[in-house]
Amino acid sequence: MPHSPAPVPTAPSAASPPGTVPDTAPRTATRHESSTARTALVTGASGYIGGHLVPRLLEDGWSVRVLTRHASSLDDRPWRRWVDVLEGDVASADDMRRALSGIRTAYYLVHSMDDRPDFARRDREAATIFATAARETGVERIVYLGGLHPDDEVLSPHLASRVEVGRILLDSGVPTAVLQAAVVLGDGSASFDMLRYLTTRLPAMIAPKWLDNRIQPIAIDDVITLLAGAGSLPADVNRTFDIGGPEIMTYREMIQRFADVTGRRRRPVVTVPVLTPRLASHWVGLVTPISAGLAKPLVGSLVHEVVAKEDDLLDLVVVPGGLEGFDTAVRSAMKTVRPDTAPRNLAIAVGATVACAVAGGLATKPGSQWYRSLDLPPWQPPPATFGLVWTPLYTAIAGSAATTLNALDRAGDAPGRSAYLKAFGTNLALNTAWSWLFWRARRPGVAALECAALTASSAALARRSMATHRTAGLALVPYAAWTGFATVLSTAIARRNRRR
């Protein structure tokens, strides 16, 4: 049996969810409000948009049901106890019929944000299943958030897929409102995060020429107001609506305005014609916490000029106080963002690694008479090999440490960060100590034992990083392997020179 939506309290109480105003007029108003009971399904409630929409719907008096693959993903949401949570998959017809039973308005807020080649097929199939289930269960309204796009250009694959999903829903037989937005300005929005990190982390940048394309960004509060209001549109409305803020600007101008609002100096931006969307997405993945897979659809939308061609939804949904300007939206978003610790983490990782390399290098004396007198195994690599190997290894050590620390900070894991720093520092100390034990103390046997400890520490550090950030852990595998080889080599040298 399908679950019924959880009731929303009609009077304030100590247990009322934060932000609910059941005894007052709703924040979002339409010009055609119905008096019938309002039940809504929100798919993608664990995502950025859905997570903001649910409390607004509760605030406006809706009974809300949410669909998620894992109910535990909502455990930290303050509105969790006030909604009916169903576990299911939008790609399952049975799950969708169960979730949509008894629902008046269904919000479709799911789409693939990955680089797997079959994402368009997956989105198409899921949207078709959702549309069919909505029609069969008597849903009165579908609301979908897609991407703002031009009508006369070949679209990027992700943007084209969003357009296709919107068309499937519009053709479902259920009245549908497809809202189309460009860059959403809000803390946690991937497009806003990309803008923020590019501006704050880079003192200057070389960027693609399409950074001068026009964009119409919109504040997250306005997106949520319009989405919530679209849930009560008249039954004869079945169309797309372009939504955008009051200002049109280029991405270059957005970078400079962001710098102004946040008290930073303006960034020199030089555009070049050679950065393709794929290359640009990898560049974004390199300098920001946003993965290249997620950056690709974001960058792909910037290839086009994304400006609203109409603002008809504003005639149907009231936005109290009017649409927020860019500066106001950025200030609001920045009130809740976590400090960007990446520059500090990079300085710690690079500084410690360079200190280790310099200290070890000062001790190393491959041209000394003592070293030349040693009986070395025939498979001993040439001296030049060590410099060629250690340069990329030290780079990997620093990069892995910075990436791991960033991931721990994003997770809010202060104890994990402290433990990792201790393990990282211990490893570098062991790394440096080998050079001094072998080259300066001239104790090959002790150095071999110490190198075994270094190998164990390197493997443990790789595992620790892997548990937090898989790529960071994999980057340390060659380091652990090389220290293992160094242990074998040190042991062989110690045995061949036991009496020296």
Side-chain angles (χ1 to χ4, degrees):
M1 293 290 291
H3 299 276
S4 60
V8 176
T10 57
S13 69
S16 296
T20 55
V21 284
D23 289 341
T24 63
R27 290 178 58 180
T28 303
T30 58
R31 304 182 191 279
H32 40 75
E33 201 64 65
S34 169
S35 61
T36 59
R38 298 192 296 174
T39 55
L41 172 74
V42 178
T43 62
S46 60
Y48 177 66
I49 298 295
H52 279 73
L53 177 62
V54 169
R56 178 66 64 85
L57 292 175
L58 291 172
E59 199 173 308
D60 288 352
W62 290 79
S63 293
V64 179
R65 178 184 298 164
V66 301
L67 180 74
T68 179
R69 289 183 178 178
H70 305 288
S72 60
S73 66
L74 303 176
D75 287 348
D76 62 343
R77 303 288 177 142
W79 43 259
R80 168 65 175 81
R81 60 175 295 202
W82 297 94
V83 301
D84 181 30
V85 179
L86 294 185
E87 285 191 334
D89 192 333
V90 292
S92 166
D94 290 341
D95 287 349
M96 291 317 307
R97 282 190 292 267
R98 180 166 58 95
L100 289 164
S101 177
I103 292 297
R104 171 183 161 185
T105 296
Y107 286 90
Y108 193 73
L109 302 176
V110 295
H111 55 270
S112 299
M113 290 292 282
D114 58 53
D115 205 19
R116 289 163 52 189
D118 63 340
F119 75 88
R121 176 190 59 78
R122 287 184 280 121
D123 281 351
R124 182 186 312 117
E125 292 175 354
T128 301
I129 289 170
F130 181 89
T132 302
R135 183 177 64 250
E136 292 175 348
T137 55
V139 171
E140 298 178 20
R141 163 71 53 194
I142 294 173
V143 181
Y144 170 63
L145 181 63
L148 200 57
H149 63 278
D151 294 328
D152 55 353
E153 296 180 22
V154 177
L155 303 179
S156 68
H158 279 273
L159 199 51
S161 177
R162 289 213 187 178
V163 173
E164 182 183 24
V165 167
R167 178 50 56 191
I168 290 170
L169 299 177
L170 288 167
D171 293 341
S172 66
V174 178
T176 297
V178 175
L179 279 59
Q180 301 178 143
V183 172
V184 176
L185 302 172
D187 178 22
S189 162
S191 53
F192 177 76
D193 286 346
M194 187 172 83
L195 171 67
R196 175 167 70 95
Y197 285 119
L198 287 177
T199 306
T200 57
R201 290 189 176 181
L202 297 177
M205 65 187 77
I206 298 175
K209 62 180 181 180
W210 29 264
L211 245 66
D212 289 323
N213 288 347
R214 296 184 304 156
I215 302 169
Q216 192 166 355
I218 183 170
I220 179 60
D221 284 350
D222 293 335
V223 173
I224 298 306
T225 296
L226 294 171
L227 282 171
S232 299
L233 291 174
D236 61 347
V237 175
N238 187 70
R239 54 165 290 188
T240 62
F241 292 96
D242 290 351
I243 61 173
E247 298 173 82
I248 298 171
M249 60 189 73
T250 66
Y251 204 88
R252 182 201 297 267
E253 291 170 337
M254 287 171 60
I255 289 171
Q256 307 301 10
R257 287 276 292 277
F258 183 97
D260 290 342
V261 170
T262 57
R264 293 171 172 83
R265 66 172 181 79
R266 291 200 161 204
R267 271 43 179 165
V269 180
V270 178
T271 57
V272 294
V274 295
L275 276 178
T276 66
R278 177 172 289 277
L279 286 175
S281 64
H282 285 290
W283 173 68
V284 170
L286 179 66
V287 300
T288 77
I290 300 170
S291 68
L294 177 56
K296 187 176 179 181
L298 299 177
V299 170
S301 66
L302 301 178
V303 174
H304 313 284
E305 291 210 333
V306 282
V307 176
K309 295 174 285 297
E310 43 81 14
D311 59 1
D312 297 348
L313 190 57
L314 297 180
D315 295 329
L316 302 170
V317 177
V318 176
V319 180
L323 298 172
E324 284 188 8
F326 180 87
D327 293 0
T328 301
V330 169
R331 289 191 188 97
S332 297
M334 292 301 291
K335 290 178 181 177
T336 55
V337 299
R338 291 182 177 180
D340 183 11
T341 59
R344 181 189 65 174
N345 290 336
L346 183 62
I348 291 172
V350 172
T353 305
V354 169
C356 169
V358 170
L362 291 174
T364 303
K365 300 292 182 181
S368 68
Q369 183 177 355
W370 171 78
Y371 181 68
R372 290 198 303 268
S373 70
L374 291 177
D375 180 12
L376 302 177
W379 42 273
Q380 162 90 7
T385 303
F386 294 91
L388 294 174
V389 169
W390 275 109
T391 299
L393 288 182
Y394 279 131
T395 302
I397 292 169
S400 175
T403 301
T404 302
L405 289 171
N406 291 341
L408 290 168
D409 286 344
R410 287 195 297 272
D413 187 359
R417 175 188 173 87
S418 178
Y420 181 83
L421 283 172
K422 290 178 181 178
F424 178 59
T426 299
N427 182 267
L428 293 184
L430 290 170
N431 187 309
T432 302
W434 181 91
S435 298
W436 287 86
L437 286 171
F438 183 86
W439 296 102
R440 292 301 179 99
R442 299 178 181 179
R443 301 288 299 276
V446 177
L449 292 174
E450 197 274 350
C451 198
L454 172 61
T455 300
S457 171
S458 301
L461 192 66
R463 287 193 299 269
R464 191 182 292 270
S465 292
M466 189 90 68
T468 303
H469 193 287
R470 186 172 183 273
T471 302
L474 290 175
L476 288 179
V477 170
Y479 174 50
W482 181 259
T483 55
F485 167 75
T487 299
V488 174
L489 178 59
S490 295
T491 302
I493 293 174
R495 287 177 177 174
R496 296 171 74 97
N497 298 273
R498 192 173 301 168
R499 296 180 180 179
R500 296 181 64 87

